[in-house]
Amino acid sequence: MHRVDRLHPRPTTQPFSARALPSDDLAHFVMSTHDRGDSPAAWPYTGTAQLNLPAHIVARWAPGGSVVEHLDTEHCRLTLGAWSWAGIAGILATFDTELTNLHPPELVHACRRLTHRWATIADTENLDPSHK
């Protein structure tokens, strides 16, 4: 374990040159990059679901690159991506709320597969007396 108060930083002795800004309008550059929250990040799989939670709650915990759309005071739509349909389903499960209007159908199937896997785990745990 290293203690911060015992670290002795050393200069790298490697000079670097400042890069030119990518745009004269830095605010526009930042707003046009990925992962800013108003368009989904580029993932192999992207899906949407309506959550029974206010948008401000979901926006606080949604992964970067997700888009949260306010529907009313108690509901929002979340668009997010992951490396698999099961990945999206797992992220949606972390919100611990009712989900409706899932799209595309592949996301619905992934949710069903995960539900089956989790039910199998629960059944196995109940049968094994050593897991008490």
Side-chain angles (χ1 to χ4, degrees):
M1 177 181 284
H2 297 286
R3 288 181 35 182
V4 174
D5 63 331
R6 291 186 179 171
L7 295 177
H8 300 286
R10 295 179 309 209
T12 64
T13 69
Q14 297 295 320
F16 67 94
S17 301
R19 295 185 305 177
L21 293 175
S23 170
D24 289 336
D25 185 351
L26 198 52
H28 179 268
F29 172 74
V30 170
M31 291 305 295
S32 64
T33 58
H34 290 290
D35 203 11
R36 65 185 185 273
D38 63 350
S39 65
W43 286 98
Y45 301 95
T46 302
T48 64
Q50 181 175 321
L51 284 71
N52 288 4
L53 288 170
H56 72 276
I57 299 293
V58 174
R60 180 173 181 187
W61 302 107
S66 300
V67 176
V68 180
E69 179 185 350
H70 172 83
L71 299 176
D72 61 40
T73 58
E74 297 299 320
H75 301 89
C76 67
R77 179 176 295 109
L78 177 61
T79 301
L80 71 158
W83 61 274
S84 70
W85 293 117
I88 296 172
I91 293 168
L92 290 171
T94 65
F95 287 97
D96 195 22
T97 189
E98 297 300 316
L99 304 171
T100 57
N101 300 321
L102 279 77
H103 295 287
E106 293 87 352
L107 177 56
V108 175
H109 296 304
C111 290
R112 289 181 181 146
R113 282 193 311 274
L114 285 180
T115 301
H116 175 73
R117 287 179 192 157
W118 291 328
T120 302
I121 292 168
D123 291 344
T124 304
E125 293 287 321
N126 290 336
L127 294 176
D128 187 352
S130 66
H131 286 94
K132 292 192 178 201

